[in-house]
Short mmCIF file of all heavy atoms in Angstrom, two decimals:
data_model
loop_
_atom_site.label_atom_id
_atom_site.label_comp_id
_atom_site.label_asym_id
_atom_site.label_seq_id
_atom_site.Cartn_x
_atom_site.Cartn_y
_atom_site.Cartn_z
N ASN A 63 60.51 -53.04 41.24
CA ASN A 63 61.02 -51.72 40.90
C ASN A 63 60.12 -51.07 39.87
O ASN A 63 60.08 -51.48 38.72
CB ASN A 63 62.45 -51.84 40.35
CG ASN A 63 63.13 -50.49 40.29
OD1 ASN A 63 62.47 -49.45 40.29
ND2 ASN A 63 64.45 -50.50 40.26
N ASP A 64 59.39 -50.06 40.33
CA ASP A 64 58.50 -49.32 39.44
C ASP A 64 59.09 -47.96 39.09
O ASP A 64 58.39 -47.09 38.59
CB ASP A 64 57.13 -49.12 40.11
CG ASP A 64 56.44 -50.45 40.36
OD1 ASP A 64 56.58 -51.34 39.53
OD2 ASP A 64 55.78 -50.58 41.40
N PHE A 65 60.36 -47.77 39.39
CA PHE A 65 60.97 -46.46 39.20
C PHE A 65 61.53 -46.32 37.79
O PHE A 65 62.24 -47.19 37.31
CB PHE A 65 62.09 -46.26 40.22
CG PHE A 65 62.66 -44.86 40.23
CD1 PHE A 65 62.09 -43.89 41.02
CD2 PHE A 65 63.75 -44.54 39.44
CE1 PHE A 65 62.59 -42.60 41.03
CE2 PHE A 65 64.26 -43.25 39.45
CZ PHE A 65 63.68 -42.29 40.25
N ASP A 66 61.21 -45.20 37.12
CA ASP A 66 61.71 -44.93 35.78
C ASP A 66 62.18 -43.48 35.73
O ASP A 66 61.39 -42.55 35.64
CB ASP A 66 60.60 -45.17 34.74
CG ASP A 66 61.09 -45.00 33.31
OD1 ASP A 66 62.25 -44.58 33.12
OD2 ASP A 66 60.31 -45.28 32.38
N ILE A 67 63.50 -43.29 35.80
CA ILE A 67 64.07 -41.95 35.87
C ILE A 67 63.74 -41.12 34.64
O ILE A 67 63.69 -39.89 34.71
CB ILE A 67 65.60 -42.04 36.08
CG1 ILE A 67 66.20 -40.68 36.49
CG2 ILE A 67 66.29 -42.55 34.83
CD1 ILE A 67 65.88 -40.25 37.87
N SER A 68 63.49 -41.77 33.52
CA SER A 68 63.19 -41.03 32.28
C SER A 68 61.86 -40.28 32.36
O SER A 68 61.61 -39.37 31.58
CB SER A 68 63.18 -41.97 31.07
OG SER A 68 62.09 -42.87 31.15
N LYS A 69 61.02 -40.65 33.32
CA LYS A 69 59.72 -39.99 33.47
C LYS A 69 59.74 -38.85 34.49
O LYS A 69 58.70 -38.24 34.76
CB LYS A 69 58.66 -41.02 33.89
CG LYS A 69 58.41 -42.09 32.82
CD LYS A 69 57.35 -43.08 33.28
CE LYS A 69 57.09 -44.14 32.21
NZ LYS A 69 56.08 -45.13 32.65
N LEU A 70 60.91 -38.56 35.05
CA LEU A 70 61.02 -37.49 36.03
C LEU A 70 60.63 -36.16 35.41
O LEU A 70 61.10 -35.79 34.34
CB LEU A 70 62.47 -37.42 36.56
CG LEU A 70 62.75 -36.35 37.61
CD1 LEU A 70 61.96 -36.60 38.88
CD2 LEU A 70 64.26 -36.30 37.92
N ARG A 71 59.76 -35.41 36.09
CA ARG A 71 59.20 -34.18 35.53
C ARG A 71 60.05 -32.95 35.84
O ARG A 71 59.78 -31.87 35.31
CB ARG A 71 57.78 -33.96 36.06
CG ARG A 71 56.80 -35.04 35.61
CD ARG A 71 55.40 -34.70 36.10
NE ARG A 71 54.42 -35.63 35.56
CZ ARG A 71 53.65 -36.41 36.30
NH1 ARG A 71 53.75 -36.36 37.61
NH2 ARG A 71 52.76 -37.22 35.74
N TYR A 72 61.05 -33.10 36.72
CA TYR A 72 61.84 -31.94 37.12
C TYR A 72 63.32 -32.31 37.14
O TYR A 72 63.71 -33.36 37.66
CB TYR A 72 61.43 -31.47 38.53
CG TYR A 72 59.95 -31.22 38.68
CD1 TYR A 72 59.11 -32.21 39.18
CD2 TYR A 72 59.40 -30.00 38.30
CE1 TYR A 72 57.75 -32.00 39.31
CE2 TYR A 72 58.04 -29.77 38.43
CZ TYR A 72 57.21 -30.78 38.92
OH TYR A 72 55.87 -30.56 39.04
N ASP A 73 64.15 -31.41 36.60
CA ASP A 73 65.58 -31.65 36.63
C ASP A 73 66.15 -31.46 38.03
O ASP A 73 67.09 -32.14 38.42
CB ASP A 73 66.29 -30.70 35.65
CG ASP A 73 67.78 -30.93 35.61
OD1 ASP A 73 68.20 -32.03 35.18
OD2 ASP A 73 68.54 -30.03 36.03
N LYS A 74 65.59 -30.51 38.77
CA LYS A 74 66.06 -30.25 40.13
C LYS A 74 64.93 -30.45 41.12
O LYS A 74 63.85 -29.89 40.96
CB LYS A 74 66.61 -28.82 40.25
CG LYS A 74 67.93 -28.57 39.55
CD LYS A 74 68.43 -27.15 39.82
CE LYS A 74 69.81 -26.92 39.23
NZ LYS A 74 69.81 -27.01 37.77
N ILE A 75 65.18 -31.25 42.15
CA ILE A 75 64.28 -31.40 43.28
C ILE A 75 64.98 -30.75 44.46
O ILE A 75 66.03 -31.22 44.91
CB ILE A 75 63.98 -32.88 43.58
CG1 ILE A 75 63.26 -33.52 42.37
CG2 ILE A 75 63.15 -33.02 44.84
CD1 ILE A 75 63.14 -35.02 42.47
N VAL A 76 64.43 -29.63 44.94
CA VAL A 76 65.12 -28.81 45.93
C VAL A 76 64.39 -28.89 47.26
O VAL A 76 63.20 -28.55 47.36
CB VAL A 76 65.21 -27.34 45.47
CG1 VAL A 76 66.03 -26.54 46.47
CG2 VAL A 76 65.81 -27.24 44.08
N ILE A 77 65.09 -29.36 48.29
CA ILE A 77 64.53 -29.38 49.65
C ILE A 77 64.76 -27.99 50.25
O ILE A 77 65.89 -27.53 50.36
CB ILE A 77 65.22 -30.45 50.51
CG1 ILE A 77 65.01 -31.84 49.89
CG2 ILE A 77 64.71 -30.41 51.93
CD1 ILE A 77 65.83 -32.93 50.55
N MET A 78 63.66 -27.34 50.63
CA MET A 78 63.75 -25.97 51.14
C MET A 78 63.19 -25.95 52.55
O MET A 78 61.98 -25.82 52.76
CB MET A 78 62.99 -25.01 50.22
CG MET A 78 63.38 -23.56 50.36
SD MET A 78 62.87 -22.56 48.94
CE MET A 78 61.16 -22.25 49.33
N ALA A 79 64.08 -26.10 53.55
CA ALA A 79 63.65 -26.15 54.94
C ALA A 79 64.35 -25.06 55.73
O ALA A 79 65.37 -24.52 55.32
CB ALA A 79 63.98 -27.52 55.54
N ASP A 80 63.80 -24.75 56.91
CA ASP A 80 64.39 -23.73 57.76
C ASP A 80 65.77 -24.15 58.22
O ASP A 80 66.07 -25.35 58.34
CB ASP A 80 63.50 -23.48 58.99
CG ASP A 80 62.19 -22.82 58.62
OD1 ASP A 80 62.11 -22.24 57.52
OD2 ASP A 80 61.24 -22.89 59.42
N ALA A 81 66.62 -23.16 58.52
CA ALA A 81 67.99 -23.43 58.96
C ALA A 81 68.02 -23.62 60.48
O ALA A 81 68.72 -22.91 61.20
CB ALA A 81 68.90 -22.28 58.54
N ASP A 82 67.24 -24.59 60.98
CA ASP A 82 67.24 -24.89 62.40
C ASP A 82 67.17 -26.41 62.58
O ASP A 82 67.22 -27.17 61.61
CB ASP A 82 66.08 -24.19 63.12
CG ASP A 82 64.72 -24.55 62.53
OD1 ASP A 82 64.62 -25.57 61.80
OD2 ASP A 82 63.74 -23.82 62.79
N VAL A 83 67.05 -26.86 63.82
CA VAL A 83 67.06 -28.30 64.10
C VAL A 83 65.89 -29.00 63.42
O VAL A 83 66.05 -30.07 62.81
CB VAL A 83 67.04 -28.55 65.63
CG1 VAL A 83 66.88 -30.04 65.91
CG2 VAL A 83 68.31 -28.02 66.27
N ASP A 84 64.69 -28.41 63.52
CA ASP A 84 63.52 -29.02 62.88
C ASP A 84 63.69 -29.09 61.36
O ASP A 84 63.34 -30.09 60.72
CB ASP A 84 62.25 -28.23 63.23
CG ASP A 84 61.76 -28.52 64.63
OD1 ASP A 84 62.15 -29.57 65.18
OD2 ASP A 84 61.01 -27.71 65.18
N GLY A 85 64.23 -28.01 60.78
CA GLY A 85 64.47 -28.01 59.34
C GLY A 85 65.46 -29.08 58.93
O GLY A 85 65.29 -29.76 57.90
N ALA A 86 66.53 -29.25 59.73
CA ALA A 86 67.52 -30.29 59.43
C ALA A 86 66.90 -31.68 59.52
O ALA A 86 67.20 -32.56 58.72
CB ALA A 86 68.69 -30.16 60.40
N HIS A 87 65.99 -31.87 60.49
CA HIS A 87 65.33 -33.18 60.63
C HIS A 87 64.43 -33.46 59.44
O HIS A 87 64.40 -34.58 58.91
CB HIS A 87 64.52 -33.21 61.93
CG HIS A 87 64.05 -34.58 62.29
ND1 HIS A 87 63.03 -34.81 63.18
CD2 HIS A 87 64.44 -35.81 61.87
CE1 HIS A 87 62.81 -36.11 63.29
NE2 HIS A 87 63.65 -36.74 62.51
N ILE A 88 63.69 -32.44 59.00
CA ILE A 88 62.83 -32.60 57.82
C ILE A 88 63.66 -32.96 56.60
O ILE A 88 63.32 -33.86 55.83
CB ILE A 88 62.00 -31.32 57.58
CG1 ILE A 88 60.95 -31.16 58.69
CG2 ILE A 88 61.33 -31.34 56.21
CD1 ILE A 88 60.30 -29.80 58.73
N SER A 89 64.78 -32.26 56.42
CA SER A 89 65.67 -32.55 55.28
C SER A 89 66.18 -33.98 55.36
O SER A 89 66.23 -34.70 54.35
CB SER A 89 66.85 -31.58 55.27
OG SER A 89 66.42 -30.25 55.06
N THR A 90 66.55 -34.43 56.55
CA THR A 90 67.07 -35.79 56.72
C THR A 90 66.01 -36.83 56.41
O THR A 90 66.29 -37.86 55.77
CB THR A 90 67.59 -35.98 58.16
OG1 THR A 90 68.58 -34.98 58.44
CG2 THR A 90 68.22 -37.35 58.34
N LEU A 91 64.77 -36.58 56.85
CA LEU A 91 63.68 -37.52 56.56
C LEU A 91 63.44 -37.61 55.06
O LEU A 91 63.23 -38.71 54.51
CB LEU A 91 62.40 -37.08 57.28
CG LEU A 91 62.39 -37.24 58.80
CD1 LEU A 91 61.21 -36.49 59.41
CD2 LEU A 91 62.35 -38.71 59.20
N LEU A 92 63.47 -36.48 54.37
CA LEU A 92 63.27 -36.48 52.91
C LEU A 92 64.42 -37.19 52.20
O LEU A 92 64.20 -37.98 51.28
CB LEU A 92 63.15 -35.05 52.40
CG LEU A 92 61.82 -34.34 52.72
CD1 LEU A 92 61.94 -32.85 52.46
CD2 LEU A 92 60.67 -34.93 51.91
N LEU A 93 65.66 -36.94 52.65
CA LEU A 93 66.81 -37.60 52.03
C LEU A 93 66.76 -39.11 52.26
O LEU A 93 67.14 -39.89 51.39
CB LEU A 93 68.11 -37.02 52.58
CG LEU A 93 68.43 -35.58 52.13
CD1 LEU A 93 69.65 -35.06 52.87
CD2 LEU A 93 68.64 -35.52 50.63
N THR A 94 66.29 -39.53 53.44
CA THR A 94 66.14 -40.96 53.71
C THR A 94 65.12 -41.58 52.76
O THR A 94 65.33 -42.67 52.22
CB THR A 94 65.71 -41.18 55.17
OG1 THR A 94 66.65 -40.57 56.04
CG2 THR A 94 65.63 -42.67 55.50
N LEU A 95 64.01 -40.89 52.53
CA LEU A 95 63.00 -41.36 51.58
C LEU A 95 63.60 -41.51 50.19
O LEU A 95 63.44 -42.55 49.54
CB LEU A 95 61.83 -40.38 51.54
CG LEU A 95 60.80 -40.59 50.42
CD1 LEU A 95 60.02 -41.88 50.64
CD2 LEU A 95 59.85 -39.40 50.32
N PHE A 96 64.30 -40.48 49.72
CA PHE A 96 64.88 -40.53 48.38
C PHE A 96 65.92 -41.64 48.27
O PHE A 96 65.96 -42.37 47.28
CB PHE A 96 65.52 -39.18 48.02
CG PHE A 96 64.55 -38.04 47.96
CD1 PHE A 96 64.99 -36.73 48.12
CD2 PHE A 96 63.20 -38.25 47.75
CE1 PHE A 96 64.10 -35.67 48.07
CE2 PHE A 96 62.30 -37.19 47.70
CZ PHE A 96 62.75 -35.91 47.87
N TYR A 97 66.78 -41.77 49.29
CA TYR A 97 67.86 -42.76 49.23
C TYR A 97 67.34 -44.19 49.23
O TYR A 97 67.86 -45.06 48.53
CB TYR A 97 68.83 -42.54 50.39
CG TYR A 97 69.98 -43.52 50.40
CD1 TYR A 97 70.89 -43.54 49.35
CD2 TYR A 97 70.14 -44.43 51.43
CE1 TYR A 97 71.94 -44.44 49.34
CE2 TYR A 97 71.18 -45.34 51.43
CZ TYR A 97 72.08 -45.34 50.38
OH TYR A 97 73.11 -46.25 50.37
N ARG A 98 66.30 -44.43 50.02
CA ARG A 98 65.80 -45.81 50.14
C ARG A 98 64.84 -46.19 49.00
O ARG A 98 64.80 -47.34 48.59
CB ARG A 98 65.08 -45.99 51.48
CG ARG A 98 66.01 -46.01 52.68
CD ARG A 98 67.08 -47.06 52.57
NE ARG A 98 67.84 -47.22 53.80
CZ ARG A 98 69.01 -47.81 53.88
NH1 ARG A 98 69.59 -48.28 52.78
NH2 ARG A 98 69.65 -47.92 55.03
N PHE A 99 64.07 -45.21 48.48
CA PHE A 99 63.02 -45.56 47.52
C PHE A 99 63.20 -44.93 46.15
O PHE A 99 62.55 -45.36 45.20
CB PHE A 99 61.64 -45.18 48.09
CG PHE A 99 61.22 -46.03 49.25
CD1 PHE A 99 61.52 -45.65 50.55
CD2 PHE A 99 60.57 -47.23 49.05
CE1 PHE A 99 61.15 -46.44 51.62
CE2 PHE A 99 60.20 -48.03 50.12
CZ PHE A 99 60.49 -47.64 51.40
N MET A 100 64.06 -43.94 46.03
CA MET A 100 64.31 -43.31 44.73
C MET A 100 65.80 -42.95 44.61
O MET A 100 66.16 -41.81 44.34
CB MET A 100 63.47 -42.03 44.56
CG MET A 100 62.00 -42.19 44.88
SD MET A 100 61.14 -40.58 44.80
CE MET A 100 59.64 -40.98 45.71
N PRO A 101 66.70 -43.90 44.83
CA PRO A 101 68.13 -43.57 44.90
C PRO A 101 68.69 -42.97 43.62
O PRO A 101 69.64 -42.19 43.66
CB PRO A 101 68.79 -44.92 45.21
CG PRO A 101 67.80 -45.95 44.75
CD PRO A 101 66.45 -45.35 45.00
N GLU A 102 68.09 -43.31 42.46
CA GLU A 102 68.59 -42.75 41.20
C GLU A 102 68.49 -41.23 41.18
O GLU A 102 69.28 -40.55 40.51
CB GLU A 102 67.83 -43.34 40.00
CG GLU A 102 68.12 -44.80 39.74
CD GLU A 102 67.16 -45.72 40.48
OE1 GLU A 102 66.54 -45.26 41.47
OE2 GLU A 102 67.01 -46.89 40.08
N LEU A 103 67.52 -40.67 41.90
CA LEU A 103 67.40 -39.21 41.97
C LEU A 103 68.70 -38.60 42.50
O LEU A 103 69.16 -37.56 42.03
CB LEU A 103 66.24 -38.80 42.86
CG LEU A 103 64.82 -39.13 42.39
CD1 LEU A 103 63.81 -38.66 43.42
CD2 LEU A 103 64.53 -38.52 41.03
N ILE A 104 69.28 -39.25 43.51
CA ILE A 104 70.52 -38.74 44.11
C ILE A 104 71.72 -39.09 43.24
O ILE A 104 72.55 -38.23 42.94
CB ILE A 104 70.70 -39.31 45.53
CG1 ILE A 104 69.53 -38.87 46.43
CG2 ILE A 104 72.03 -38.85 46.11
CD1 ILE A 104 69.57 -39.44 47.83
#
């Protein structure tokens, strides 16, 4: 575990994708990344 939440440079990480199927897929891929490798962010 190399994750240290105290070093986070931004209070808000905002996923900004189009409101369509491709945008929803991109959002899901990003959320999967955050949940599996940076869960403290969530």
Side-chain angles (χ1 to χ4, degrees):
N63 194 339
D64 297 323
F65 188 88
D66 184 353
I67 193 72
S68 68
K69 295 180 180 179
L70 180 64
R71 295 184 174 120
Y72 307 95
D73 181 65
K74 288 184 175 65
I75 298 170
V76 185
I77 299 171
M78 199 162 81
D80 291 341
D82 57 18
V83 173
D84 283 340
H87 192 198
I88 290 167
S89 296
T90 304
L91 289 167
L92 287 167
L93 290 173
T94 304
L95 169 68
F96 297 157
Y97 180 63
R98 289 304 189 198
F99 291 91
M100 310 175 198
E102 291 91 339
L103 293 179
I104 299 176

